[in-house]
């Protein structure tokens, strides 16, 4: 659908990256799979799905929340195990 190459505003030269928009998600997936690593002028292309800053922040926050919950679970298990060991020892 659309291709946008990013240029340096001062020099007018390409920064070496850009964005491609596809109307069909299957075409986007096929391009990612077939062109990632493909060499152009001896340099490999690196392709990835672009995500919005809001989405990346939301995913990061969710991952951090999971890590905190997991740490609390492990701490609670350690406390419970210590309490069990102290009550079962004569």
């Amino acid at each position: 659908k659309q291709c946008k190459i990013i240029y340096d505003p001062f020099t007018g030269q390409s920064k070496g990256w850009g964005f491609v928009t596809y109307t069909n998600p299957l075409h986007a997936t096929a391009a990612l799979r077939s062109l990632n690593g493909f060499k152009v002028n001896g340099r490999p292309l690196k392709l990835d799905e672009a995500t919005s800053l809001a989405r990346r922040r939301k995913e990061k926050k969710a991952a951090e929340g999971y890590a905190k919950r997991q740490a609390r679970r492990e701490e609670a298990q350690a406390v419970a195990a210590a309490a069990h060991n102290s009550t079962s020892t004569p």
Side-chain angles (χ1 to χ4, degrees):
K1 179 179 173 179
Q2 180 183 10
C3 177
K4 182 175 181 175
I5 298 173
I6 306 303
Y7 293 94
D8 183 292
F10 300 106
T11 66
Q13 293 183 331
S14 166
K15 289 190 169 190
W17 56 281
F19 298 93
V20 177
T21 305
Y22 291 88
T23 54
N24 185 331
L26 294 176
H27 294 163
T29 301
L32 281 169
R33 290 182 179 165
S34 64
L35 295 175
N36 196 26
F38 184 82
K39 290 190 178 183
V40 176
N41 295 329
R43 296 177 63 188
L45 292 176
K46 181 180 176 189
L47 297 146
D48 198 1
E49 182 180 352
T51 55
S52 70
L53 180 58
R55 181 175 168 189
R56 289 193 308 268
R57 285 181 177 160
K58 183 179 178 181
E59 289 171 355
K60 181 180 178 184
K61 189 174 182 180
E64 289 171 350
Y66 173 80
K68 287 178 184 177
R69 288 189 304 276
Q70 186 65 23
R72 284 195 300 263
R73 277 189 217 106
E74 290 171 1
E75 183 180 351
Q77 288 173 349
V79 168
H84 177 71
N85 289 339
S86 68
T87 58
S88 63
T89 306

